[in-house]
Amino acid sequence: MRRAVLIGIPYLWLVALFLVPFLIVLKISLSDIALARPPYMPQLDLSEGLSGLFAFLAELDFENFVFLTQDSLYWKAYLSSLQIAFTATFITLLVGYPIAYGMARAAQEWRPTLLMLVILPFWTSFLIRVYSWMGILSNEGVLNQLLSWLGVIDAPLQILNTNTAVYIGIVYTYLPFMILPIYSALEKMDESLLEAAEDLGCSRLSAFWLVTLPLSKSGVIAGCFLVFIPTLGEFVIPSLLGGSQTLMIGKILWEEFFSNRDWPVASAVAVILLLILIIPIILFQRNEQKQREAEG
Amino acid sequence: MAQSVFAPWDDPEQKPLIQFVNVTKRFGDFTAIDDLTLDIYEKEFFALLGPSGCGKTTMMRMLAGFENPTKGHILLNGKVIDTVPPNKRAVNMMFQSYALFPHLSVWDNIAFGLRRESKDKDAIAARVEEMLRLTRLTKFAKRKPHQISGGQRQRVALARSLAKAPKLLLLDEPLGALDRKLREETQFELMDIQEKTGTTFVIVTHDQEEAMTVASRVAVMDEGRIVQVATPQVIYEAPNSVYVADFIGDVNLIRGTASARPAAPAAETPIAKPAPNAPPPEPETTAAEPATDTQPEPRPQPNALGEWLHDTLLTPILGQRDPGPRALPAPTDEERAAHAETAETPASHAEDIPAGGLQIVWADDKPPLIAANGDEALAGKKVVLALRPEKVGISKTRPDAANAMQGKVIDIAYLGNISTYHVELPGGAMIKAQTANTRRISRRDITWEDDVWLSFTATAGVVLEDVS
Ligand SMILES: Nc1ncnc2c1ncn2[C@@H]1O[C@H](COP(=O)(O)OP(=O)(O)O)[C@@H](O)[C@H]1O
Ligand SMILES: [Mg+2]
């Protein structure tokens, strides 16, 4: 009994916090737009009993999903989001791995401080940090002023409101999610493995390729998913740092909801996004499980 | 035995494979290895023995190339290798933690080193199979390290380090993680493999039994220095210091002050006369002569010197020392009478006490101990007589031995093949005496609380300078 309760609690959370909201969104995505409050039809009216439920179900359809396939904006936005998420994840990995490696190699007494520094940005509101990037990257921003003062550039660089700014924002924001799992994998690694590799004839570099990298693989995979998954639906960064040509599904979703007030289409967009994300989430889970098995 | 023939260290023609020449290693201002000079010869099974933290691993790491000497040089085959990086040395190491690559199978672990130097797949495969056979791992080739037992992992590590056929194999506490039985088995396996492959092995251990079992020579280390390098037999029978004697095996340490013995015939040796009503000479069973005994050149010394030393040196010192032996009260007449009643007669020879050597005053009111093999240069100094328990005989009646002491049995450890008697001397000092249980009921009459006589020959102990 106790056991059943203990196992049941996480499922309860899952149902309450994920499944129920998902079903609500799914239901909205199958409804039609209406000038009402809430702005969609039909509403479930249980006062008429079972016949009311059937009438309600009869009015649900896949119209909105069909609509998504007809307007190229949507699938282009999905593709563009995927592409941006892939590229950003890759850049984050390139930046994050050396940082994690350096941290894992740092003297024992420095490591807590370095970890602190990595986590420190979370102590400030995410929005404020993105706004400050606007201050840095804008035409009259800190970066352009510095560069022209140094004489590197004549005219200010247009960075803000481009995809470059979006990449900078994403890499900056999600870097800790990449660093932490890689660091934890590298830190666990027994230093004597590298010595053993060298002892058996490896150079430092080949020891890295043959030992360090394979052993940090699970950390790399975890970090990549932790960056990729939220980036795919990211909305604040492309809205604030990106330009009009920056196409990301999170931005579209937001516009459908708040500008167009088309909740059913917005919900359909969200449902598709979720379905796309399920694949990497499952892969992520599998990676974690494999990792646990290898350690156990 | 082959080992007695194999002694390249005694042969001036032989060139050592490894030479440490005045090597010092410092970490910051901590000196881990202190001006150490050492030769290791080809095909040796060389053991570094010492307590934790004495610098054994540091020596290995310098041989493997992970640390460079702060001062001095290391030579391999006569060439200085101080600056050769680890991947360029014909030296392989078996790590204390095994350091198996967790992401590779047993097969790939063993092939790892081979793949770095050769592209020939067939040759690699053949060598790996050979190593798997040698270490009896063929069945486990496909497993990952976490899927095999500790003993198997240890063999994988050995196979991996042997695969490249190094000139020198370093083993850092290779058997530390194994249980006793497996460890003993593996020791013999190691010796077997060492013999088969002809590789020079340097093994680090803090287990003296292990070092004695496997090694052709043992170096006993203390705080970055080598205290003694010798064959296991010499280390055991003729330790050169109290440190070595105490570190290797069980030993009784009897402290006292030495004086020279006359070289004259043994008749007037200062051993106490047998108790008045003692039975005829009671010989003594256990004292086997140490193999390495050397008879020092008899050098005449005035007997008066010993007495003078006794009065001037020993008396002031006695006050400061608390170990009991020196404050033993003389046995009472009743005690002696009690002993006389027992009738046990261990069979052995009555001893002719050789002349010369030292006598050691260890208690004011006791006859001094005789060490005919003592180095007369130690005369007048504070010394320790190191005495192996198996060289101490035990009997209920006064034996006719060069050295005899009285005490009471406090504890008996029956170990099947041998029994160890813990005998308390009247001053409180404990002496261990060991007897082989050759006869089923032998010596059963000696039991707890019994008053007994301990005895040993004039050459059973080793006289060492007391530096503590
Ligand atoms: N890299 C290092 N930095 C500082 N001190 C060290 C280092 N390596 C070893 N030592 C010190 O050197 C001494 C000898 O260590 P080690 O050779 O590992 O001893 P052993 O293997 O005999 O137990 C120890 O006191 C240890 O603390
Ligand atoms: Mg060590």
Side-chain angles (χ1 to χ4, degrees):
Chain A
M1 183 60 207
R2 272 281 275 292
R3 251 180 81 107
V5 170
L6 280 180
I7 295 173
I9 285 174
Y11 285 100
L12 210 69
W13 279 110
L14 199 69
V15 168
L17 297 178
F18 179 77
L19 208 58
V20 170
F22 175 74
L23 286 177
I24 293 172
V25 170
L26 183 67
K27 184 246 151 186
I28 298 175
S29 75
L30 298 175
S31 312
D32 293 319
I33 187 166
L35 277 174
R37 192 181 282 233
Y40 53 86
M41 298 244 317
Q43 308 287 339
L44 181 54
D45 188 359
L46 285 179
S47 61
E48 288 173 38
L50 218 54
S51 61
L53 181 66
F54 285 128
F56 164 78
L57 286 176
E59 281 191 60
L60 296 178
D61 55 46
F62 287 93
E63 235 171 40
N64 298 313
F65 291 94
V66 176
F67 172 70
L68 291 189
T69 62
Q70 284 160 353
D71 193 333
S72 66
L73 171 75
Y74 296 104
W75 62 261
K76 274 185 184 154
Y78 280 119
L79 278 184
S80 160
S81 289
L82 279 171
Q83 185 254 315
I84 289 176
F86 268 119
T87 315
T89 304
F90 186 67
I91 300 172
T92 315
L93 175 63
L94 287 187
V95 176
Y97 197 99
I99 297 177
Y101 186 84
M103 284 168 59
R105 277 298 131 84
Q108 193 80 47
E109 63 265 30
W110 276 100
R111 289 183 199 167
T113 315
L114 293 172
L115 265 181
M116 248 314 266
L117 289 176
V118 169
I119 300 167
L120 203 62
F122 290 126
W123 290 17
T124 317
S125 153
F126 167 57
L127 269 180
I128 291 176
R129 284 182 284 134
V130 176
Y131 272 112
S132 61
W133 272 108
M134 291 171 75
I136 294 171
L137 298 176
S138 70
N139 285 6
E140 305 80 39
V142 181
L143 183 66
N144 273 315
Q145 282 182 16
L146 179 74
L147 289 178
S148 64
W149 178 73
L150 286 172
V152 182
I153 53 168
D154 298 326
L157 289 174
Q158 175 67 41
I159 302 176
L160 192 62
N161 302 330
T162 65
N163 278 357
T164 312
V166 175
Y167 285 127
I168 292 176
I170 292 173
V171 170
Y172 163 78
T173 306
Y174 292 105
L175 196 56
F177 296 103
M178 184 64 85
I179 292 176
L180 294 178
I182 297 178
Y183 167 78
S184 119
L186 285 175
E187 204 230 1
K188 267 192 305 218
M189 200 180 89
D190 185 357
E191 195 107 0
S192 65
L193 291 179
L194 291 180
E195 291 188 340
E198 275 187 68
D199 189 60
L200 293 166
C202 278
S203 64
R204 290 270 163 99
L205 190 67
S206 57
F208 175 82
W209 281 112
L210 292 167
V211 178
T212 311
L213 208 54
L215 285 178
S216 57
K217 194 178 77 188
S218 68
V220 170
I221 293 176
C224 285
F225 281 125
L226 287 180
V227 174
F228 180 83
I229 292 167
T231 301
L232 194 62
E234 181 56 55
F235 133 78
V236 174
I237 295 170
S239 306
L240 295 182
L241 299 179
S244 52
Q245 84 288 8
T246 307
L247 206 52
M248 282 194 82
I249 201 65
K251 217 169 95 178
I252 303 281
L253 188 65
W254 191 83
E255 279 162 8
E256 289 295 348
F257 253 114
F258 296 99
S259 307
N260 298 351
R261 276 187 68 79
D262 191 342
W263 286 26
V265 166
S267 300
V269 169
V271 169
I272 300 280
L273 178 62
L274 195 87
L275 292 180
I276 293 174
L277 279 176
I278 278 178
I279 298 162
I281 288 173
I282 287 174
L283 288 176
F284 173 71
Q285 298 266 334
R286 195 166 290 174
N287 174 59
E288 294 287 289
Q289 181 148 359
K290 233 169 61 185
Q291 177 63 14
R292 271 197 299 275
E293 274 165 17
E295 276 166 19
Chain B
M1 227 166 88
Q3 261 161 327
S4 56
V5 182
F6 177 73
W9 48 88
D10 285 335
D11 181 357
E13 299 284 288
Q14 285 278 344
K15 291 255 175 337
L17 178 69
I18 307 288
Q19 287 168 279
F20 281 79
V21 185
N22 300 106
V23 171
T24 296
K25 176 68 189 176
R26 291 201 187 92
F27 296 108
D29 55 5
F30 175 80
T31 306
I33 298 294
D34 192 3
D35 192 27
L36 183 146
T37 298
L38 174 68
D39 290 346
I40 299 171
Y41 294 84
E42 206 166 337
K43 296 202 164 60
E44 261 203 84
F45 202 138
F46 193 91
L48 289 172
L49 182 60
S52 182
C54 70
K56 307 179 298 285
T57 299
T58 306
M59 295 244 326
M60 295 292 240
R61 291 175 59 79
M62 285 196 288
L63 278 173
F66 298 123
E67 307 280 0
N68 294 327
T70 313
K71 262 198 235 147
H73 299 288
I74 300 173
L75 284 74
L76 178 68
N77 262 339
K79 287 196 202 66
V80 175
I81 54 165
D82 295 347
T83 54
V84 179
N87 54 344
K88 301 263 156 53
R89 293 190 185 192
V91 173
N92 282 132
M93 178 145 164
M94 185 180 151
F95 286 78
Q96 197 163 359
S97 58
Y98 305 154
L100 297 179
F101 303 123
H103 58 299
L104 299 180
S105 67
V106 167
W107 208 98
D108 289 325
N109 262 286
I110 298 174
F112 191 92
L114 299 167
R115 289 192 174 132
R116 304 284 82 74
E117 60 181 15
S118 144
K119 293 264 178 294
D120 183 352
K121 284 224 166 71
D122 295 338
I124 292 175
R127 180 72 180 157
V128 172
E129 295 297 334
E130 188 187 339
M131 285 299 118
L132 286 170
R133 267 198 306 279
L134 185 70
T135 49
R136 296 186 281 117
L137 283 167
T138 313
K139 268 191 284 180
F140 308 101
K142 291 210 178 62
R143 304 247 188 113
K144 291 273 176 69
H146 67 91
Q147 295 165 322
I148 55 179
S149 75
Q152 289 156 355
R153 254 176 255 173
Q154 180 266 338
R155 297 214 296 274
V156 177
L158 182 64
R160 186 179 70 176
S161 51
L162 274 173
K164 293 181 83 175
K167 280 202 186 109
L168 173 66
L169 183 70
L170 307 171
L171 305 115
D172 193 353
E173 309 219 3
L175 313 181
L178 306 183
D179 60 57
R180 188 185 164 87
K181 197 148 164 31
L182 193 54
R183 198 161 64 210
E184 280 170 8
E185 262 174 47
T186 316
Q187 283 165 5
F188 286 106
E189 229 166 76
L190 273 183
M191 291 159 71
D192 195 40
I193 287 174
Q194 196 257 349
E195 216 164 284
K196 271 191 202 150
T197 57
T199 312
T200 309
F201 278 26
V202 177
I203 188 173
V204 158
T205 173
H206 60 251
D207 176 353
Q208 46 98 9
E209 243 176 76
E210 183 171 298
M212 307 281 284
T213 308
V214 298
S216 60
R217 278 195 305 161
V218 178
V220 182
M221 294 184 65
D222 181 30
E223 294 184 347
R225 265 181 265 241
I226 286 185
V227 186
Q228 187 172 12
V229 189
T231 60
Q233 291 89 334
V234 173
I235 292 264
Y236 188 77
E237 298 290 359
N240 67 359
S241 60
V242 177
Y243 178 83
V244 174
D246 202 16
F247 196 79
I248 308 284
D250 241 355
V251 73
N252 296 304
L253 298 176
I254 304 171
R255 287 169 203 276
T257 303
S259 55
R261 284 177 74 233
E268 43 97 17
T269 44
I271 177 172
K273 304 282 180 291
N277 49 358
E282 208 85 68
E284 204 271 312
T285 33
T286 50
E289 295 295 298
T292 53
D293 255 1
T294 47
Q295 295 291 343
E297 290 276 286
R299 183 151 55 85
Q301 292 273 356
N303 241 352
L305 175 63
E307 280 170 39
W308 176 78
L309 282 167
H310 181 273
D311 291 334
T312 52
L313 278 174
L314 189 64
T315 323
I317 295 159
L318 276 175
Q320 315 160 343
R321 296 192 162 274
D322 67 316
R326 253 173 241 122
L328 291 180
T332 60
D333 281 333
E334 295 93 297
E335 277 177 63
R336 295 184 184 208
H339 289 294
E341 283 161 27
T342 54
E344 208 205 26
T345 339
S348 179
H349 60 288
E351 194 186 5
D352 279 335
I353 302 164
L358 296 169
Q359 60 186 31
I360 300 163
V361 178
W362 61 285
D364 262 346
D365 48 6
K366 297 280 173 183
L369 300 174
I370 299 169
N373 56 344
D375 179 359
E376 280 159 41
L378 290 171
K381 295 203 170 112
K382 286 201 281 174
V383 295
V384 175
L385 183 69
L387 193 59
R388 299 288 178 197
E390 72 271 17
K391 299 202 167 66
V392 181
I394 185 166
S395 56
K396 286 192 126 179
T397 49
R398 187 188 171 90
D400 178 25
N403 297 295
M405 300 188 272
Q406 261 188 306
K408 183 188 267 181
V409 175
I410 296 298
D411 206 356
I412 304 172
Y414 175 73
L415 302 173
N417 51 347
I418 51 170
S419 295
T420 305
Y421 297 86
H422 295 247
V423 177
E424 188 181 27
L425 302 181
M430 282 293 205
I431 300 286
K432 279 181 252 178
Q434 224 167 50
T435 57
N437 296 329
T438 45
R439 285 171 294 162
R440 248 159 88 71
I441 38 170
S442 80
R443 317 259 166 154
R444 282 286 164 80
D445 58 320
I446 297 181
T447 179
W448 286 269
E449 301 292 314
D450 273 0
D451 288 310
V452 291
W453 282 91
L454 298 174
S455 60
F456 50 95
T457 65
T459 52
V462 180
V463 186
L464 301 163
E465 189 167 357
D466 187 3
V467 285
S468 65

